[in-house]
Structure formats: structure tokens, C-alpha cells
Amino acid sequence: MDSHNRRWNFFTFSCCIFVLLVPLVATRPQQPSVASRVHEEYSTLRVEDPEWTFNHLAVDHRNGNVYVGAVNRIYKLSPELAVQVSHQTGPDEDNRNCYPPRIVQPCSEPLTLTNNVNKMLLMDYRENRLLACGSLYQGICKLLRLDDLFKLGEPFHKKEHYLSGVNESGSVFGVIVSYGDASPDKLFVATAVDGRPEYFPTISSRKLTRNSEEDGMFAYVFHDEFVASMIKIPSDTFTVVPDFDIYYIYGFSSGNFVYFLTLQPEMGGGPTTGSSSAGREQVYTSKLVRLCKDDTAFNSYVEVPLGCVKGGIEYRLLQAAYLSKAGTILARSLGIGPDDDILYAVFSKGQKRRPKESSQESALCVFTLKEINERIKDRLQSCYKGEGTLDLAWLKVKDISCSSALLTIDDNFCGLDMNAPLGVSEMVRGIPLFSESNDKMTSVIAYVYKNHSLAFVGTKGGRLKKVGLMFLLQEREKPQS
């Protein structure tokens, strides 16, 4: 089946949907100052200050303990959501214009008491520690022991120690990749740079040393005068789109690759295109970024646009995503194996993040990672035949022609110091599973239970929808005569 021309015509799609109101709850409040009972069965977890909102959550799959990243606090909860211990991360005196931050050298900017917003929370199982990055001091990170949140390390002396930026609304996502006992793990981290590309790469790979206080913690995996394990947004890009940034929605590893799902402005033709000061509505594109785990020079960087169409409506603004296995029943419908990876993605309607008329329309769609990788492989093969351009406008600003090279492009090809970074122009269309017009979907998680694929979708209105994907029949559209 030609993946480029694949379209889906749904004859039957059966799903079950249950709408629930789900607060963050605990069955036994342990600390009255933090948790209070709200009715007979449930109690709601409340922090000391109502402005200290929750930002991230991580669950230890070995014992069910829950870790919550909030404003000024990191919490460790039991599986029943009882608070076991908390770690204070702020507030403290700071100024976002202090670079390096004042904890490294004196700063002439006025300092004010500033909240520390948690921006990334990752479980490092190998070393039994939690990686917690915040918005204070240009985004430094703490390494906390999982058992009691004791601070094992807090690197901040070097430029590469500032991972997440200071913009509280900016997105950051990290993926820890394990290479076995032979070598230390690596951290792939991606962040919105908030107009400061001279300080922050938009995506990079870092060392995760076993000693949390080692000087090389968070250093680039490779860095010399010309090449490094990073991608930076060029200054020329900001000339074309002054408020350009890449927003990272989700990330994961699969096989030999690391993937990030992004939302980024489209590049226009004029120097004022996309400028918010000009009062124009910026058009955005959802893209998947793929890198080889072992690529220290980032020659394998490829971007491919993603989207979804249902009932003639285009859903192009990525809201959330989640990687899961297909499961036997859904895999049969998709023509893949039950253990193959599939990507659930929630999109909202259109391509404008802040349209004049706010829309609640959204769709849950599914992609097979196999098809996405096939599309990337086809693009690599055509480019290394010398066909087309690199087609990555934000990084190259102008079109650069692909160069021909006689080599074999297999499924695990990791690029050369040519034809890179590379963009895919044609959008990969997901299969629409479910749409919502009254309460926009904003999050998704999924798993397989007794061969059935189940997805849980959170909405803007605070509801949880359980979607059971019972069966899905499709066939390729027949060409019109």
C-alpha cells in the first residue's frame, strides 16, 4: 500500500465514552495543612498557597509513588496520594535578565522575590533520583533522591547547566535514554528559547553522570569548535518571524530513535510575517522531530508535519500526545503488529493558536509510528538522490538543494554531514477516532487491556473521557473513475 496516497474511509467505528469529573484525590489525608476531606469517599490535595499550581507529574512504575512538580514545591505522594514529603524550590530573589544568574556572578539588575515554576520532572530510575527543573536562575535543575527528596546535586556553574529558560509559559520536555551498564544514560532535552537562542539550544543531548555532583553533569554529549549535540535557532529566523519559537508538547524514545512533538510558527515571506506587534495571527504547524539516539552531531535531525482531518474539518494544532502499544484488536485494523508503537494525538481545529473566535473543536487521532518512519525514510532516500531541497525553512531560512550520494538508506539510517537537518514537506495524516465540539480535549493517555486499546482524554472543562477502541474498519479510497 502506498503510504503517500493512503487515505482512510471509515465504515464502522465503535467506541464507549464515559464522562467523569476527576479531582486529584487521596483516600487518607495524612497532613491536614495540605490535604482536607471534601466528602465521604474522596479528599482533595491542596497546597499551602492557592497560587502554587501543579505543573508536572511523574509516577514510579515500580511502587506507584507519585511525584508532583508545582510552583515552589516538589511533592512525593503515596499511591493513595497522601503527602509523604515535600521539597522547597522557591521563591527567591531573581531577575530574568541576570545572565549568568546572580548565584554565579553579581547582577546589576534589580532583584525581586520570584516564584520557581516547575518546568520538567523526570524519573532517573537507574540512579534512583528525580530530575526537577524550574524557572529560577535561567532554568537550573535539581537532582533529588526519590526516597526522601534529599538534594543530591544542583549544577549551576556552567552555561550548559541552564536547561529550561526562565519563561514560565515556555515548554520544555526531556527524554532519558538508557544504554545499558556499558555507558551512562543521556538526557535529550528540548525547550522553548523565549527569544534567547544565544543562550539556549532548542534541542540538545546531555550527559547524565552517575555522580549527581560531578562537574560534567548536563554537559553536551559532544561539543567542539564546529559541531555539537544541539540545534540552535539561527538569528536570521527571528528577522523573518520576530517571535519565532518551538513549543515542545511531548517526547519519547522508540527503537533507535528519540522523538519530540512540537508546535511551531510557519515561516512567511516577509520580514514582519508572524510579528505579534503587527497584530497578525500567526499560523502554526504541528511537527514531529526525530533523532538517532547515538547521533552526537545531530545529523539525523528530521522534521515531519502531522495533522488530522475529520468530516472535512482540519485539525492541525497539537494539544497533547501519548505513545502506546497497538494491542491485538486495534493492530489488526491498522495492519501492524500488536506490539508496534502507535501515537495518540489530540489536535484542535485550524492552525491559529489564538483565533479571534475561540473554538472548542478538537479531535483525537492515531498514527502508526511505522508509517511515520516510512515517510521519513522515503524523504531521506529522495534527498540523497539529489531530489528537492532540505525544506527546513526556520533553520536554513533559504532553500538549500539536496546533494546526491551513492549509499543505502535503511530503516536505521542516522544521517551524514550533508543533507541535514532535513524537513518533510507532505503532512502525515492521522486516523481520526473521536471529535469534540463543546469541550476542547487537552490531554491524552492510553494503554492496552486484554487486547483492547483504551484512551483517556482530559478536557478543558475538567472532564475525563474514557474511549474504548473496540474495532476499526477501513479501506483505502478507491480512485474515482
Side-chain angles (χ1 to χ4, degrees):
M1 183 181 294
D2 187 350
S3 63
H4 284 215
N5 298 316
R6 186 181 300 166
R7 294 183 180 179
W8 306 93
N9 183 26
F10 297 90
F11 288 99
T12 308
F13 171 58
S14 174
C15 66
C16 304
I17 301 172
F18 306 93
V19 181
L20 305 169
L21 288 175
V22 185
L24 185 57
V25 298
T27 57
R28 301 189 308 273
Q30 300 294 315
Q31 298 183 13
S33 62
V34 177
S36 60
R37 188 169 298 279
V38 294
H39 54 70
E40 282 187 314
E41 298 181 24
Y42 300 104
S43 60
T44 302
L45 180 70
R46 299 186 186 277
V47 295
E48 300 91 317
D49 189 320
E51 294 184 358
W52 293 356
T53 56
F54 299 146
N55 302 108
H56 294 98
L57 181 147
V59 179
D60 190 332
H61 62 73
R62 300 168 300 185
N63 52 34
N65 289 332
V66 179
Y67 298 84
V68 178
V71 175
N72 296 327
R73 295 290 188 277
I74 304 295
Y75 296 96
K76 178 187 177 183
L77 313 177
S78 70
E80 294 78 26
L81 304 188
V83 175
Q84 294 184 337
V85 65
S86 66
H87 178 91
Q88 182 174 344
T89 60
D92 204 352
E93 299 287 328
D94 194 20
N95 187 303
R96 62 178 295 146
N97 294 319
C98 292
Y99 191 92
R102 70 169 185 83
I103 56 176
V104 176
Q105 69 181 37
C107 179
S108 60
E109 300 290 340
L111 303 178
T112 58
L113 193 63
T114 305
N115 286 331
N116 193 0
V117 179
N118 178 255
K119 301 186 69 179
M120 185 167 71
L121 200 67
L122 284 179
M123 305 280 297
D124 185 355
Y125 288 104
R126 183 173 183 173
E127 301 302 328
N128 198 42
R129 63 193 176 188
L130 189 70
L131 178 61
C133 304
S135 58
L136 275 181
Y137 315 133
Q138 303 297 337
I140 63 172
C141 304
K142 292 185 178 185
L143 294 148
L144 307 175
R145 190 162 55 201
L146 289 178
D147 295 341
D148 54 8
L149 298 187
F150 174 79
K151 186 175 74 174
L152 299 169
E154 188 177 19
F156 60 82
H157 292 290
K158 295 182 177 181
K159 185 176 181 179
E160 55 262 34
H161 291 155
Y162 315 128
L163 297 185
S164 63
V166 297
N167 185 355
E168 294 181 7
S169 63
S171 66
V172 59
F173 213 99
V175 176
I176 294 177
V177 175
S178 180
Y179 296 84
D181 294 333
S183 59
D185 293 349
K186 294 178 186 176
L187 169 67
F188 284 79
V189 61
T191 182
V193 302
D194 192 28
R196 309 182 77 176
E198 68 275 22
Y199 296 148
F200 302 104
T202 187
I203 187 170
S204 58
S205 62
R206 312 298 188 103
K207 296 177 181 178
L208 276 181
T209 61
R210 294 183 175 179
N211 182 353
S212 299
E213 295 183 327
E214 189 172 321
D215 194 50
M217 178 67 75
F218 300 143
Y220 298 112
V221 171
F222 180 78
H223 195 190
D224 67 13
E225 186 178 356
F226 303 104
V227 179
S229 304
M230 70 170 82
I231 295 286
K232 283 198 170 187
I233 300 175
S235 57
D236 289 349
T237 300
F238 295 95
T239 303
V240 180
V241 182
D243 52 2
F244 183 90
D245 214 335
I246 299 178
Y247 301 94
Y248 293 88
I249 310 299
Y250 184 63
F252 61 93
S253 63
S254 175
N256 294 323
F257 301 101
V258 174
Y259 302 79
F260 289 97
L261 278 85
T262 74
L263 194 60
Q264 50 186 272
E266 284 192 354
M267 299 294 290
T272 59
T273 300
S275 174
S276 57
S277 61
R280 302 185 182 183
E281 292 181 272
Q282 176 65 56
V283 174
Y284 286 79
T285 297
S286 302
K287 292 186 177 183
L288 175 141
V289 172
R290 192 187 79 172
L291 284 159
C292 285
K293 291 179 180 178
D294 295 321
D295 179 14
T296 59
F298 277 30
N299 290 324
S300 60
Y301 184 101
V302 182
E303 282 186 1
V304 54
L306 303 179
C308 200
V309 180
K310 186 175 189 295
I313 299 175
E314 287 198 351
Y315 298 91
R316 300 285 299 277
L317 283 175
L318 183 68
Q319 302 295 311
Y322 190 79
L323 186 75
S324 181
K325 297 298 181 182
T328 302
I329 296 175
L330 185 59
R332 191 180 302 125
S333 298
L334 297 174
I336 58 177
D339 291 326
D340 283 357
D341 287 329
I342 60 174
L343 186 64
Y344 292 90
V346 170
F347 295 88
S348 59
K349 178 183 175 182
Q351 287 185 266
K352 295 177 180 179
R353 296 183 73 195
R354 300 176 182 88
K356 293 179 180 179
E357 295 182 4
S358 180
S359 172
Q360 296 295 313
E361 294 189 70
S362 56
L364 173 63
C365 306
V366 67
F367 300 80
T368 66
L369 206 57
K370 181 179 179 181
E371 181 181 358
I372 292 173
N373 287 329
E374 286 177 352
R375 188 71 58 86
I376 292 174
K377 180 181 174 181
D378 290 344
R379 178 71 176 102
L380 286 166
Q381 289 174 336
S382 66
C383 189
Y384 275 86
K385 291 178 182 178
E387 300 173 359
T389 66
L390 299 189
D391 200 22
L392 198 57
W394 71 264
L395 190 55
K396 299 297 184 181
V397 179
K398 61 180 180 180
D399 288 337
I400 297 177
S401 297
C402 289
S403 300
S404 179
L406 296 176
L407 73 162
T408 301
I409 309 293
D410 60 17
D411 291 338
N412 294 312
F413 180 71
C414 285
L416 303 174
D417 58 353
M418 59 184 291
N419 295 336
L422 185 64
V424 177
S425 58
E426 185 180 354
M427 182 181 77
V428 176
R429 289 192 179 190
I431 305 170
L433 303 178
F434 172 72
S435 61
E436 170 63 63
S437 59
N438 297 318
D439 191 7
K440 185 164 71 174
M441 294 181 281
T442 57
S443 59
V444 62
I445 193 170
Y447 72 104
V448 177
Y449 179 72
K450 293 184 178 179
N451 298 324
H452 292 273
S453 299
L454 300 172
F456 293 86
V457 180
T459 72
K460 186 177 180 180
R463 288 176 168 80
L464 181 66
K465 298 190 175 185
K466 178 182 177 183
V467 183
L469 311 178
M470 305 302 292
F471 56 91
L472 176 65
L473 303 177
Q474 74 285 324
E475 68 173 20
R476 188 168 50 172
E477 275 188 348
K478 298 178 181 179
Q480 296 180 353
S481 57

